[in-house]
Amino acid sequence: MKFLSDNNGDDLAGLMISLIFPLDSIHAASLAASRIEHALSEAASSLSSFSPRPGPQKAWMIQFKIWLLLADVYLAIEQPNEAINCIQEASLINPVSHQVMYMRGLIHIYQQQWADAKQCFLNAVSANPYHTDALRALGEAHLTLGEPRLAEKTLKDAARIDPNCPKIWFLLGRVMESIGDYTASADCMATALQLEPSCPVLPFTSIALVFD
């Protein structure tokens, strides 16, 4: 089965999803919707009490990004306490950012606190439904917590947004294997293998433009 084409976007994602998964779980979809609605209400409550920092916002956002990058580095070198401190500094600048919620979820994963991690990722997705890293992490949390149908629904949503991410397809393959759909699992794994060679280490948008 061939999954790749020269077209990107919703048409490709929809085709890939429909080829592998002819039917969705209605129960999983409704349950996921109710949980995201709960997370949305929590995020809205935080948003109502948020006021931007005084002064030039660009300078604050640069600091915000630096704190998040430092948190990522500290987590990579297994210094979670330092990472937590960095996330706390970032949250003082923008407490309702989906990136802060996502990083908090990664800290909880490092500490094997999967239920707390799931809640953080739900909050991140409610703040930004198109943040595929949070969707992928939420799918992994569902899988780890024994909720494969919710993981399936979440990862399909992520694949529709970014059909060219091999990590999403690989994790979706693991989910399908866990529920006994080995054909779909193999198709997902094959798609991940096809996408891996052409997937950049970093998004192209993260590379600064240089003009002579």
Side-chain angles (χ1 to χ4, degrees):
M1 184 179 296
K2 183 176 177 61
F3 294 102
L4 299 181
S5 70
D6 295 331
N7 298 323
N8 293 324
D10 294 340
D11 292 341
L12 174 60
L15 176 61
M16 295 166 79
I17 292 289
S18 63
L19 286 172
I20 298 177
F21 308 102
L23 294 174
D24 281 337
S25 170
I26 297 176
H27 174 70
S30 61
L31 185 57
S34 65
R35 294 189 178 186
I36 290 177
E37 182 180 358
H38 175 71
L40 273 170
S41 65
E42 290 188 352
S45 176
S46 299
L47 186 61
S48 63
S49 60
F50 170 66
S51 58
R53 286 291 189 93
Q57 293 303 302
K58 184 176 181 180
W60 284 118
M61 290 311 298
I62 291 174
Q63 289 189 39
F64 175 76
K65 291 179 180 179
I66 290 172
W67 284 120
L68 289 179
L69 286 172
L70 282 172
D72 199 21
V73 170
Y74 277 124
L75 194 58
I77 61 176
E78 300 185 353
Q79 295 187 24
N81 292 332
E82 295 296 334
I84 291 171
N85 291 336
C86 292
I87 294 170
Q88 182 61 30
E89 292 292 338
S91 68
L92 292 176
I93 299 173
N94 188 357
V96 295
S97 168
H98 64 278
Q99 294 170 304
V100 168
M101 301 171 192
Y102 170 69
M103 286 302 302
R104 282 177 174 160
L106 294 183
I107 293 290
H108 286 303
I109 286 181
Y110 181 86
Q111 297 171 334
Q112 296 297 304
Q113 299 168 345
W114 284 95
D116 292 331
K118 182 179 77 170
Q119 187 58 54
C120 288
F121 296 139
L122 278 170
N123 291 339
V125 170
S126 69
N128 183 358
Y130 298 99
H131 191 231
T132 53
D133 286 340
L135 282 168
R136 177 169 53 84
L138 177 58
E140 184 178 5
H142 281 312
L143 178 61
T144 304
L145 292 170
E147 302 165 344
R149 288 299 180 183
L150 287 173
E152 177 189 357
K153 169 67 172 58
T154 302
L155 292 169
K156 285 180 184 178
D157 290 342
R160 289 188 179 97
I161 296 169
D162 185 4
N164 295 315
C165 177
K167 292 181 180 179
I168 293 174
W169 288 104
F170 174 75
L171 186 55
L172 187 54
R174 286 178 52 200
V175 170
M176 302 315 297
E177 181 183 13
S178 72
I179 62 178
D181 192 341
Y182 300 110
T183 300
S185 175
D187 289 340
C188 290
M189 296 291 188
T191 302
L193 285 173
Q194 284 184 289
L195 291 170
E196 181 67 31
S198 60
C199 182
V201 176
L202 291 173
F204 293 116
T205 53
S206 67
I207 303 174
L209 296 177
V210 179
F211 299 96
D212 293 332

